[in-house]
Amino acid sequence: MVDAALLTLQQMRGFVPETLLTMFASLMITYLLVAKGLLKYLAVFSKPFTARLGLPDAVIAASLVAFGSVLSANAMLSELYHKRQISEHDTYLGAILNGTSLNVKQIFTYQLPIMMPLLGWKAGGIYLLCFITAAVIRYVYVLLHAKRNSTARSLDLAQANSAQPRTTIKGQLRLFVKIAGTYLLITFVVVFLFNAGVGALFEKMVAPISRALQLPVVLAVPMAVFIFNPIAGAAAVGTLRNNGTVNDVDAVLAVIMGSLLLLPLYGFRSGTIARTVSFFGPRLGMKVSATSTTLAIISRLIFLALVMGYKLMRAQ
């Protein structure tokens, strides 16, 4: 237990300072955008999207910020929510929409430049479509839920900013201390549990799943690796595909299944859930995280069924 704790602290030194610095910068950006009234200028660019979704201008503006930084976008939503400028429901949908923006961004920063070359254009192309589908599902989810409650949502940002108490630098610092404390506590507990052996339980799941999908035995290890390091797992699968050990269908099945198994763990291991809870509180934060993970799982299940169906049909 002591060794696991020491290893956890050593690992956290590698990514926690950068995350905390990003959080601090995000809150300062939020201070400028919200407290100084600059958000109304950003909202001008969101007008074409606002009417379609029926969400407040501020929520759509945050989704545009999410293309650059989801942390900054969620900080904006958190600030607006705590100042009662947007409702809890709009905050919830806004956080899901921020995830959609991240999905679209990662198509160009992660899928096309990294995963496609590793997996090849066939397997990589199918995995890319799976990723695009996840973004579409998120957007449709927000669209449908926003339309149900679209009445009386219009928000005049100038009036809202003048009617609410002004945010101060001291207030932002207090908020940062609260958010950072929550993030550090949750991150330590999660990483400690994985170092204590919880992650090994998921590795044992891979072999029977691999047999159920009728995958070659050699893909069991890359699938397990994918759960903890997607790029390394995809590289291993790509190597097996390139040397002819597995075909494109089995390669994409292994990657989709690895991604499916990764999703419930990724939010904890990456600190995404910790950050979301620290911004929105335990109840709303867990609701956002659960919804985002569920929608991503649905897209993987759809493609897993399609590719597996194709494999079975081809085998007949």
Side-chain angles (χ1 to χ4, degrees), residues 25 30 39 44 51 64 88 96 108 249 293 296:
T30 300
L39 188 61
V44 171
L64 297 180
E88 179 179 309
I96 303 299
F108 301 98
V249 174
T293 301

PDB file of all heavy atoms in Angstrom, residues 25 30 39 44 51 64 88 96 108 249 293 296:
ATOM      1  N   ALA A  25      -5.238  29.158 -15.397  1.00  0.00           N
ATOM      2  CA  ALA A  25      -5.322  30.032 -16.572  1.00  0.00           C
ATOM      3  C   ALA A  25      -6.753  30.101 -17.096  1.00  0.00           C
ATOM      4  O   ALA A  25      -7.237  31.167 -17.500  1.00  0.00           O
ATOM      5  CB  ALA A  25      -4.374  29.528 -17.659  1.00  0.00           C
ATOM      6  N   THR A  30     -11.805  33.044 -17.812  1.00  0.00           N
ATOM      7  CA  THR A  30     -13.219  33.169 -17.494  1.00  0.00           C
ATOM      8  C   THR A  30     -13.515  34.507 -16.826  1.00  0.00           C
ATOM      9  O   THR A  30     -14.530  35.156 -17.098  1.00  0.00           O
ATOM     10  CB  THR A  30     -13.652  32.016 -16.562  1.00  0.00           C
ATOM     11  OG1 THR A  30     -13.431  30.778 -17.226  1.00  0.00           O
ATOM     12  CG2 THR A  30     -15.118  32.129 -16.201  1.00  0.00           C
ATOM     13  N   LEU A  39     -17.699  38.341 -22.832  1.00  0.00           N
ATOM     14  CA  LEU A  39     -18.372  37.174 -23.388  1.00  0.00           C
ATOM     15  C   LEU A  39     -19.378  37.564 -24.467  1.00  0.00           C
ATOM     16  O   LEU A  39     -19.607  36.825 -25.413  1.00  0.00           O
ATOM     17  CB  LEU A  39     -19.074  36.398 -22.272  1.00  0.00           C
ATOM     18  CG  LEU A  39     -19.667  35.040 -22.643  1.00  0.00           C
ATOM     19  CD1 LEU A  39     -18.574  34.106 -23.134  1.00  0.00           C
ATOM     20  CD2 LEU A  39     -20.388  34.438 -21.447  1.00  0.00           C
ATOM     21  N   VAL A  44     -21.311  36.827 -30.391  1.00  0.00           N
ATOM     22  CA  VAL A  44     -21.704  37.263 -31.732  1.00  0.00           C
ATOM     23  C   VAL A  44     -21.464  36.154 -32.749  1.00  0.00           C
ATOM     24  O   VAL A  44     -22.262  35.914 -33.653  1.00  0.00           O
ATOM     25  CB  VAL A  44     -20.927  38.531 -32.133  1.00  0.00           C
ATOM     26  CG1 VAL A  44     -21.172  38.862 -33.607  1.00  0.00           C
ATOM     27  CG2 VAL A  44     -21.339  39.700 -31.251  1.00  0.00           C
ATOM     28  N   ALA A  51     -29.916  29.805 -32.587  1.00  0.00           N
ATOM     29  CA  ALA A  51     -31.304  29.597 -32.996  1.00  0.00           C
ATOM     30  C   ALA A  51     -31.589  28.125 -33.243  1.00  0.00           C
ATOM     31  O   ALA A  51     -32.671  27.624 -32.929  1.00  0.00           O
ATOM     32  CB  ALA A  51     -31.590  30.421 -34.257  1.00  0.00           C
ATOM     33  N   LEU A  64     -17.722  27.129 -28.399  1.00  0.00           N
ATOM     34  CA  LEU A  64     -16.703  27.596 -29.342  1.00  0.00           C
ATOM     35  C   LEU A  64     -15.337  27.656 -28.662  1.00  0.00           C
ATOM     36  O   LEU A  64     -14.321  27.302 -29.253  1.00  0.00           O
ATOM     37  CB  LEU A  64     -17.082  28.977 -29.882  1.00  0.00           C
ATOM     38  CG  LEU A  64     -18.378  29.057 -30.699  1.00  0.00           C
ATOM     39  CD1 LEU A  64     -18.629  30.488 -31.165  1.00  0.00           C
ATOM     40  CD2 LEU A  64     -18.334  28.118 -31.895  1.00  0.00           C
ATOM     41  N   GLU A  88     -29.330  24.937 -14.479  1.00  0.00           N
ATOM     42  CA  GLU A  88     -28.581  23.683 -14.338  1.00  0.00           C
ATOM     43  C   GLU A  88     -28.713  22.832 -15.593  1.00  0.00           C
ATOM     44  O   GLU A  88     -27.746  22.208 -16.046  1.00  0.00           O
ATOM     45  CB  GLU A  88     -29.079  22.900 -13.127  1.00  0.00           C
ATOM     46  CG  GLU A  88     -28.365  21.565 -12.933  1.00  0.00           C
ATOM     47  CD  GLU A  88     -28.839  20.796 -11.729  1.00  0.00           C
ATOM     48  OE1 GLU A  88     -28.879  21.396 -10.629  1.00  0.00           O
ATOM     49  OE2 GLU A  88     -29.180  19.609 -11.866  1.00  0.00           O
ATOM     50  N   ILE A  96     -22.034  18.810 -22.255  1.00  0.00           N
ATOM     51  CA  ILE A  96     -22.062  17.749 -23.279  1.00  0.00           C
ATOM     52  C   ILE A  96     -21.646  18.332 -24.629  1.00  0.00           C
ATOM     53  O   ILE A  96     -20.904  17.706 -25.396  1.00  0.00           O
ATOM     54  CB  ILE A  96     -23.464  17.124 -23.384  1.00  0.00           C
ATOM     55  CG1 ILE A  96     -23.918  16.559 -22.032  1.00  0.00           C
ATOM     56  CG2 ILE A  96     -23.479  16.024 -24.445  1.00  0.00           C
ATOM     57  CD1 ILE A  96     -23.040  15.475 -21.486  1.00  0.00           C
ATOM     58  N   PHE A 108      -9.048  16.047 -36.170  1.00  0.00           N
ATOM     59  CA  PHE A 108      -7.938  16.642 -36.911  1.00  0.00           C
ATOM     60  C   PHE A 108      -6.612  16.599 -36.151  1.00  0.00           C
ATOM     61  O   PHE A 108      -5.547  16.690 -36.758  1.00  0.00           O
ATOM     62  CB  PHE A 108      -8.285  18.096 -37.264  1.00  0.00           C
ATOM     63  CG  PHE A 108      -9.533  18.230 -38.082  1.00  0.00           C
ATOM     64  CD1 PHE A 108     -10.746  18.542 -37.480  1.00  0.00           C
ATOM     65  CD2 PHE A 108      -9.511  18.007 -39.451  1.00  0.00           C
ATOM     66  CE1 PHE A 108     -11.903  18.647 -38.234  1.00  0.00           C
ATOM     67  CE2 PHE A 108     -10.664  18.119 -40.211  1.00  0.00           C
ATOM     68  CZ  PHE A 108     -11.863  18.431 -39.595  1.00  0.00           C
ATOM     69  N   VAL A 249     -10.457  -6.433 -40.853  1.00  0.00           N
ATOM     70  CA  VAL A 249     -11.685  -6.594 -40.075  1.00  0.00           C
ATOM     71  C   VAL A 249     -11.360  -6.915 -38.618  1.00  0.00           C
ATOM     72  O   VAL A 249     -11.913  -6.303 -37.692  1.00  0.00           O
ATOM     73  CB  VAL A 249     -12.566  -7.709 -40.684  1.00  0.00           C
ATOM     74  CG1 VAL A 249     -13.777  -7.980 -39.785  1.00  0.00           C
ATOM     75  CG2 VAL A 249     -13.030  -7.318 -42.084  1.00  0.00           C
ATOM     76  N   THR A 293     -19.908   9.461 -21.299  1.00  0.00           N
ATOM     77  CA  THR A 293     -19.379   8.111 -21.476  1.00  0.00           C
ATOM     78  C   THR A 293     -20.398   7.206 -22.151  1.00  0.00           C
ATOM     79  O   THR A 293     -20.054   6.430 -23.050  1.00  0.00           O
ATOM     80  CB  THR A 293     -18.979   7.516 -20.108  1.00  0.00           C
ATOM     81  OG1 THR A 293     -17.997   8.355 -19.497  1.00  0.00           O
ATOM     82  CG2 THR A 293     -18.409   6.116 -20.275  1.00  0.00           C
ATOM     83  N   ALA A 296     -20.664   7.921 -25.872  1.00  0.00           N
ATOM     84  CA  ALA A 296     -19.487   7.405 -26.572  1.00  0.00           C
ATOM     85  C   ALA A 296     -19.549   5.888 -26.701  1.00  0.00           C
ATOM     86  O   ALA A 296     -19.181   5.317 -27.735  1.00  0.00           O
ATOM     87  CB  ALA A 296     -18.215   7.821 -25.837  1.00  0.00           C
TER      88      ALA A 296
END
